[in-house]
Amino acid sequence: MVLVPEAKDQSKGAKGRRKGPARSPTAAPALAWAPDDTYTPMEDYEQSIQDMVRQLKNSSEPGDTKCQVNLRLWRSNRRSLSPWAYSINHDATRIPADIPEARCLCTGCINPFTMQEDRTMASIPIYSRLPVRRLLCQVPGEVGPKPSMKKKCQKKYQTVMETIAVGCTCIF
């Protein structure tokens, strides 16, 4: 990341203008990305998802099914006023095949004063779109990629965005 300083407005008699730094019409924004910044390779992203799934599978904590806050845990999903647990979303025709997905533990929200569930509010999932590689099979003689589970299928993958619940929040 490259920081570009802004030019200061030197005219004292500029009536109606904001005080403080002014931008010239050709000035670069205060924060600009350097052209050599690169995106994380897909393999690194997929590895981080696999690491999260492995942690979920190897977790020694008791099953997350109760609508309650646990302030002793460091994980934010159990300290939230709208707590959630993770389950593994499995799809064999996708890379990564396993993705952790949030599941709200409360219908309502935890009241911070009583630490009990308050059903005048609602816990709802927060969704994010994640890139995944979806298996598409090209069957000889057909035009265009079509999903198929036939044995004589050439394995081809296409990157698509998939909507996954990543947490929960409280609304009125």
Side-chain angles (χ1 to χ4, degrees), residues 53-109:
V53 168
R54 196 174 304 109
Q55 288 175 13
L56 278 173
K57 288 181 177 178
N58 295 333
S59 176
S60 62
E61 293 183 17
D64 296 312
T65 58
K66 294 182 182 177
C67 175
Q68 64 185 16
V69 172
N70 188 341
L71 298 175
R72 288 184 235 153
L73 294 177
W74 62 269
R75 297 182 331 204
S76 61
N77 63 307
R78 296 301 294 160
R79 296 175 58 98
S80 172
L81 298 180
S82 181
W84 69 90
Y86 289 104
S87 58
I88 297 172
N89 177 328
H90 179 80
D91 184 343
T93 65
R94 167 185 78 198
I95 296 176
D98 294 325
I99 297 177
E101 187 163 28
R103 176 180 41 84
C104 299
L105 295 177
C106 302
T107 302
C109 299

Side-chain angles (χ1 to χ4, degrees), residues 9-19:
D9 186 7
Q10 300 296 332
S11 62
K12 299 269 183 190
K15 195 170 188 178
R17 284 187 160 172
R18 283 188 346 193
K19 291 184 179 182

Side-chain angles (χ1 to χ4, degrees), residues 13 36 46 71 84 93 108-109 111 116 132 140 149-150 164 172:
D36 62 341
E46 290 169 359
L71 298 175
W84 69 90
T93 65
C109 299
N111 180 315
Q116 300 296 317
V132 298
M149 295 307 292
K150 294 181 181 177
I164 300 288
F172 288 104

Side-chain angles (χ1 to χ4, degrees), residues 102-134:
R103 176 180 41 84
C104 299
L105 295 177
C106 302
T107 302
C109 299
I110 301 294
N111 180 315
F113 302 107
T114 64
M115 298 305 282
Q116 300 296 317
E117 184 176 10
D118 180 351
R119 293 195 180 206
T120 62
M121 299 175 281
S123 289
I124 61 166
I126 300 167
Y127 292 97
S128 182
R129 293 175 50 86
L130 304 176
V132 298
R133 290 187 287 164
R134 178 73 52 196

